[in-house]
């Protein structure tokens, strides 16, 4: 099929109308190298969000910290990351894409190394925060590279690779971290960043041209808007991450951050319109575009599903099935492996089929896989979970790729960095909301199911008396006296009740994620019909 060539200058996308018709749109090896380096950066940054989860016990032991204090290791990274993502559009204009990506990656590697050398909890929290602030920029930059450096007919391929970084990394983070920690000790989960980091710097150095630094844009930036954004998003993330452990609005700490989040976000909305006379650092007006608004709403829900399912399943396998991080990894890898093969097929299909149909199909598969996990019992393990993991892997590419197409449909080249920042920020925010909701739901539903089961498992029930008698006899046969054996039998029955209550709570969590994903299908059809461009054009609606 003939397609239109596009002259792409260093700063953006050329105009198809002025370009001659050629058999294909050529993309230089340098450009592909830059795009691949960007994808590596996005994968590394998303991976680092959850890479500490499975190694947390070892880290806390070394730093002499409690589990509750240790939650700040992840929270600090998330807060810094979500603050820097909306700022990447401004920082790219100031330093140029090449210098900014190389500089922020070099700093990210430095702070990753310092995380491995952390001597106490406060130092770890500070280094993780700095790591998040430098690494977070790499996520939207990968999408910006695809949209600004590739011609329309190649963007589906670029977005397919970007989609893989967004879906594979959350699932692989805890597994990869547990594997490295087991073999080489927990500092290795931070040092390993040097491998992709050095490749990234090399790829960007070769693949992108130098651009002029415009420091005047930094001095004239809307710093009041940036301050409101940082306060709003940072406080909201702390509220979501720490709310469940502090009993939400029973805590003055949580109430304070909820109030700060409201003030910050409202202030950002006011300054983001340009009402204060300054040019906004990110274009919030993009939310006024119907397709973009629908795509960001769905991106938030997808973040809830993506990070929520990645939060629930490892927790269930560790707590109920007693799996080690390595065994959990063997289950979770089935969410990743099939995606490597199906993503190119989805990229091709996205230029031929209405993306609303593809996205609906993906949401049905993803939601269906969560529904399959909503009927687990205490014996559920690798064999029983394999099919649901494969179904999830088949569904996720259809959603991630098409959402990117919806979001970027009709966006002008100058707004692409803003659009990329906003959609990635929204997905990460959705992940934080999803995990907060599910953590709270797990706690409350476990209490609910414990009470319901407890109503049946009483000392007066014949079945309970028989089970206690059998367990007491079993413990006595092992040499325990009657009083100790009876006490141990009671504890064993209590443990079984708690275990079953937790299993039912995990099922409820997966059911909740499934309902959210199914609900998204209705929202999706408010957007316009979109296909990924297979020939020249700007990716407009067909």
């Amino acid at each position: 099929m003939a397609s239109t060539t596009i002259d792409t200058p260093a700063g953006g996308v050329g105009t198809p109308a002025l370009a001659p018709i050629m058999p294909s749109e050529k993309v230089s090896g340098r450009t592909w190298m830059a795009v691949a380096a960007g994808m590596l950066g996005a994968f590394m940054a998303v991976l680092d969000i959850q890479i500490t989860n499975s190694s947390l016990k070892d880290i806390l032991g070394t730093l002499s910290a409690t589990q509750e204090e240790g939650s700040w290791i992840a929270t600090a990274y998330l807060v810094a990351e979500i603050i820097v993502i909306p700022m990447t559009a401004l920082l790219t204009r100031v330093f140029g894409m090449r210098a900014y990506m190389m500089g922020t990656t070099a700093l990210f590697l430095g702070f990753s190394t310092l995380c491995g050398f952390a001597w106490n909890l406060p130092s770890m929290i500070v280094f993780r925060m700095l790591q998040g602030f430098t690494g977070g920029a790499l996520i939207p930059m990968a999408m910006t590279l695809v949209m600004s450096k590739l011609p329309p007919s190649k963007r589906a391929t670029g977005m397919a690779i970007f989609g893989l970084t967004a879906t594979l990394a959350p699932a692989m983070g805890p597994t990869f971290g547990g594997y490295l920690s087991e073999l080489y000790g927990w500092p290795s989960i931070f040092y390993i960043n040097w491998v992709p980091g050095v490749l990234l710097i090399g790829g960007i150095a070769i693949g992108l041209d130098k651009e002029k630094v415009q420091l005047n844009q930094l001095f004239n930036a809307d710093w009041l808007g940036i301050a409101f954004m940082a306060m709003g998003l940072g406080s909201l993330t702390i509220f979501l991450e720490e709310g469940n452990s502090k009993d939400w609005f029973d805590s003055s700490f949580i109430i304070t951050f909820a109030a700060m989040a409201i003030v910050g976000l409202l202030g950002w909305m006011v300054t983001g319109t340009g009402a204060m006379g300054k040019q906004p650092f990110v274009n919030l007006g993009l939310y006024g575009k119907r397709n973009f608004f629908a795509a960001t709403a769905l991106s938030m829900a997808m973040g809830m599903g993506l990070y929520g399912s990645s939060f629930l399943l490892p927790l269930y396998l560790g707590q109920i099935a007693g799996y080690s991080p390595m065994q959990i990894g063997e289950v979770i890898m089935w969410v990743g492996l099939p995606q490597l093969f199906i993503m190119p097929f989805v990229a091709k299909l996205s230029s031929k089929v209405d993306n609303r149909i593809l996205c609906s199909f993906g949401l049905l598969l993803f939601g269906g896989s969560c529904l399959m996990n909503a009927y687990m019992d205490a014996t559920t393990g690798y064999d029983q979970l394999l099919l649901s993991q494969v179904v999830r892997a088949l569904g996720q590419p259809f959603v991630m790729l098409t959402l990117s197409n919806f979001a970027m449909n009709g966006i002008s080249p100058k707004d692409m960095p803003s659009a990329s920042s906003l959609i990635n920020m929204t997905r990460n925010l959705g992940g934080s909301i999803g995990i907060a909701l599910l953590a709270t739901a797990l706690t409350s539903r476990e209490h609910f199911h414990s009470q319901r089961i407890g109503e049946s498992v009483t000392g007066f029930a014949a079945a309970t008396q028989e089970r206690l008698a059998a367990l007491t006899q079993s413990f006595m046969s092992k040499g325990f006296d009657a009083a100790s054996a009876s006490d141990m039998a009671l504890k064993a029955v209590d443990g079984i009740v708690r275990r079953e209550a937790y299993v039912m709570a995990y099922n409820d969590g997966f059911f909740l994620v499934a309902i959210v994903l199914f609900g998204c299908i209705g929202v999706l059809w408010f957007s316009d019909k979109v296909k990924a461009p297979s020939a020249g054009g700007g990716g407009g609606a067909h």
Side-chain angles (χ1 to χ4, degrees):
M1 183 186 291
S3 50
T4 311
T5 51
I6 290 183
D7 295 318
T8 308
V13 180
T15 51
L18 303 176
I21 302 295
M22 295 288 284
S24 64
E25 291 175 324
K26 298 277 187 187
V27 179
S28 70
R30 278 185 70 215
T31 300
W32 278 120
M33 189 177 286
V35 169
M39 297 304 164
L40 204 58
F43 185 83
M44 179 172 68
V46 177
L47 189 79
D48 266 63
I49 294 171
Q50 295 185 313
I51 201 167
T52 58
N53 287 6
S54 53
S55 314
L56 199 56
K57 198 178 283 184
D58 295 338
I59 295 171
L60 295 178
T62 305
L63 303 179
S64 305
T66 65
Q67 190 75 29
E68 190 175 338
E69 291 170 338
S71 67
W72 283 96
I73 294 173
T75 301
Y77 186 95
L78 283 167
V79 168
E81 183 183 68
I82 207 158
I83 288 171
V84 80
I85 285 175
M87 292 178 65
T88 53
L90 168 66
L91 294 170
T92 303
R93 290 195 299 271
V94 173
F95 298 107
M97 203 178 286
R98 183 179 187 268
Y100 181 45
M101 285 193 76
M102 289 172 66
T104 201
T105 304
L107 288 170
F108 176 79
L109 295 180
F111 295 131
S112 294
T113 305
L114 288 172
C115 285
F117 283 109
W119 53 92
N120 58 18
L121 186 66
S123 66
M124 173 62 89
I125 289 169
V126 169
F127 296 146
R128 276 289 278 174
M129 185 172 66
L130 293 168
Q131 190 194 26
F133 194 79
T134 49
L138 298 173
I139 302 170
M141 293 300 288
M143 188 185 273
T144 303
L145 271 170
V146 169
M147 296 307 297
S148 62
K149 300 301 178 187
L150 295 181
S153 66
K154 299 289 190 290
R155 285 179 195 158
T157 305
M159 283 300 181
I161 305 167
F162 179 75
L164 278 175
T165 69
T167 55
L168 285 179
M172 285 181 62
T175 307
F176 193 53
Y179 179 79
L180 284 171
S181 193
E182 206 168 292
L183 290 179
Y184 306 109
W186 67 261
S188 63
I189 67 177
F190 298 110
Y191 302 152
I192 196 71
N193 286 331
W194 278 91
V195 178
V198 168
L199 289 172
L200 191 161
I201 291 171
I204 293 297
I206 295 167
L208 294 181
D209 296 326
K210 288 182 181 177
E211 295 168 79
K212 190 180 176 185
V213 175
Q214 301 181 61
L215 286 177
N216 63 308
Q217 293 218 19
L218 197 61
F219 300 130
N220 299 325
D222 176 20
W223 286 105
L224 180 63
I226 290 170
F228 273 128
M229 178 276 295
M231 183 172 85
L233 290 179
S235 299
L236 181 59
T237 305
I238 290 170
F239 167 76
L240 292 168
E241 291 295 314
E242 299 296 319
N244 186 54
S245 63
K246 291 181 169 55
D247 294 326
W248 294 104
F249 292 102
D250 289 340
S251 161
S252 57
F253 175 88
I254 293 299
I255 292 169
T256 302
F257 277 96
M260 286 169 64
I262 292 167
V263 171
L265 293 174
L266 287 175
W268 184 24
M269 284 169 63
V270 172
T271 56
T273 60
M276 309 300 284
K278 288 276 189 180
Q279 184 188 350
F281 63 96
V282 67
N283 185 5
L284 293 179
L286 292 173
Y287 284 125
K289 292 178 178 283
R290 190 175 58 170
N291 264 26
F292 188 80
F293 182 77
T296 47
L298 287 167
S299 186
M300 179 173 279
M302 186 60 182
M304 291 172 71
L306 203 60
Y307 288 97
S309 55
S310 297
F311 163 76
L312 284 175
L313 197 57
L315 212 55
Y316 163 82
L317 290 169
Q319 184 182 4
I320 307 299
Y323 278 29
S324 68
M326 299 283 280
Q327 290 172 312
I328 292 170
E330 288 170 8
V331 177
I332 291 176
M333 73 177 181
W334 288 105
V335 176
L337 290 177
Q339 291 189 45
L340 297 170
F341 302 102
I342 199 165
M343 194 63 99
F345 167 72
V346 178
K348 259 193 166 64
L349 213 56
S350 69
S351 63
K352 296 177 173 64
V353 180
D354 181 354
N355 281 202
R356 292 176 298 183
I357 296 171
L358 295 180
C359 193
S360 297
F361 178 67
L363 286 165
L364 277 172
L365 286 177
F366 193 179
S369 74
C370 292
L371 211 54
M372 291 165 75
N373 289 152
Y375 296 94
M376 300 185 295
D377 60 40
T379 62
T380 301
Y382 179 91
D383 295 336
Q384 295 79 17
L385 292 169
L386 184 59
L387 181 60
S388 65
Q389 295 298 93
V390 171
V391 170
R392 192 167 301 158
L394 296 177
Q396 285 181 355
F398 282 94
V399 185
M400 288 307 300
L401 177 58
T402 52
L403 278 185
S404 300
N405 291 339
F406 283 120
M408 294 304 190
N409 177 48
I411 301 291
S412 64
K414 70 180 176 64
D415 282 329
M416 281 174 185
S418 285
S420 174
S421 294
L422 291 174
I423 197 163
N424 283 288
M425 176 200 80
T426 311
R427 189 181 67 244
N428 280 21
L429 199 55
S432 291
I433 292 169
I435 290 172
L437 282 174
L438 289 169
T440 304
L442 274 181
T443 305
S444 62
R445 296 302 289 173
E446 187 274 326
H447 290 330
F448 171 80
H449 290 304
S450 281
Q451 287 175 344
R452 294 291 82 82
I453 298 170
E455 288 168 7
S456 301
V457 183
T458 67
F460 302 106
T464 308
Q465 289 173 356
E466 285 174 23
R467 188 65 183 268
L468 283 170
L471 285 168
T472 303
Q473 205 60 44
S474 171
F475 288 127
M476 286 175 69
S477 68
K478 291 174 183 170
F480 293 97
D481 61 77
S484 298
S486 177
D487 191 42
M488 290 167 75
L490 276 169
K491 284 180 181 173
V493 168
D494 182 58
I496 293 166
V497 169
R498 289 291 302 275
R499 185 192 69 190
E500 294 304 315
Y502 265 116
V503 171
M504 293 163 85
Y506 282 115
N507 288 343
D508 292 345
F510 276 111
F511 187 78
L512 185 65
V513 174
I515 293 299
V516 169
L517 292 169
F518 289 146
C520 288
I521 296 172
V523 177
L524 174 66
W525 287 86
F526 282 102
S527 58
D528 297 324
K529 180 180 178 181
V530 172
K531 290 181 186 177
S534 58
H542 291 241

